[in-house]
Amino acid sequence: MLLAIESSVPKASLALYDRATNSVAWQDEFTSQRAHNAVIFDPLREALDHCGRSLDLIVIGRGPGSYGGVRVGIAVANGLSIALGAPVIGLSSLEAMESGDAETYAVIGDARRQSFFVARVEEGKLIAEPELVTEEGLVEHLTLLSRDGIPVLTADQALADAHESVRLSEPQAAKLAARASRLSPEEIEQRLKEPLEPHYLRAPYITTPKG
């Protein structure tokens, strides 16, 4: 059984995926504005009871999104990995957006500091690092995406309200689990070698003290 944890947004979720039947065996959602550090444990216990504490893979959504939420998810995933002996990998939460039947779509979001990000997911896979753009650049991207008939999703209510062509959507653990279930053994092995950390849109902004 595969356990997916998606905690990069206020409405977080967990899902169990049965790779033998290619179906979601269990799922739950929970909401918190404070990084999910307390509310995640009740649904997590329910998930572990449902699968009999037998997991062969754990996948965590790395964001981009709430840094604190992703860190909590990573900590929980690492703890379960040690306790249950299950490997843990990370995938971009952009690959887990609720997109209906569309496996190819774009995602936009607020990257702070008066900038935005634009990312492309093709056949369920993030094809490159999100591109940081200005507001003018965002409008240009949306025009091109609309022309090409590519759905555009965002987890940001303000952006969905501001642009008619953009649909509000959030990453979901069930979608994350389904994406992980399609990875080959070689792809999983490669993911296991990668650092398990939040998906940063830019390098951390660090200043040094004066004098």
Side-chain angles (χ1 to χ4, degrees):
M1 196 78 74
L2 184 158
L3 172 67
I5 302 172
E6 177 48 63
S7 56
S8 68
V9 289
K11 184 185 286 186
S13 53
L14 300 175
L16 290 171
Y17 195 90
D18 188 342
R19 288 194 279 190
T21 61
N22 289 321
S23 63
V24 175
W26 174 93
Q27 60 183 317
D28 196 11
E29 295 180 344
F30 52 97
T31 302
S32 171
Q33 299 295 333
R34 301 183 66 82
H36 313 303
N37 54 346
V39 294
I40 192 173
F41 292 105
D42 282 343
L44 180 61
R45 278 190 288 269
E46 185 177 342
L48 294 177
D49 289 343
H50 188 89
C51 69
R53 297 180 177 268
S54 177
L55 297 173
D56 52 47
L57 184 66
I58 302 167
V59 57
I60 173 70
R62 298 173 47 238
S66 164
Y67 175 84
V70 173
R71 294 299 299 178
V72 167
I74 289 174
V76 168
N78 280 331
L80 288 175
S81 178
I82 294 170
L84 303 179
V88 56
I89 63 171
L91 292 176
S92 173
S93 297
L94 302 179
E95 298 177 345
M97 301 290 285
E98 177 47 55
S99 57
D101 295 330
E103 285 294 301
T104 295
Y105 54 87
V107 185
I108 65 170
D110 188 344
R112 312 305 177 194
R113 304 183 206 170
Q114 297 181 320
S115 64
F116 304 87
F117 73 82
V118 180
R120 286 282 295 271
V121 174
E122 295 188 359
E123 299 303 319
K125 184 177 181 179
L126 183 68
I127 61 172
E129 284 297 303
E131 180 182 354
L132 295 180
V133 297
T134 62
E135 186 171 4
E136 182 180 62
L138 177 65
V139 172
E140 292 174 356
H141 273 280
L142 291 177
T143 299
L144 293 174
L145 290 165
S146 178
R147 183 198 65 187
D148 294 339
I150 296 173
V152 182
L153 312 176
T154 186
D156 189 312
Q157 182 70 61
L159 285 176
D161 292 341
H163 301 281
E164 186 176 352
S165 62
V166 178
R167 179 165 69 85
L168 187 66
S169 177
E170 290 189 334
Q172 296 185 349
K175 184 78 178 285
L176 187 72
R179 166 82 179 99
S181 74
R182 296 194 295 270
L183 295 175
S184 68
E186 292 75 21
E187 288 174 314
I188 291 175
E189 189 64 30
Q190 180 58 44
R191 297 280 182 177
L192 288 170
K193 298 176 182 177
E194 298 173 357
L196 197 61
E197 60 184 23
H199 188 172
Y200 297 106
L201 291 172
R202 53 163 65 89
Y205 181 67
I206 301 173
T207 60
T208 56
K210 297 181 179 179

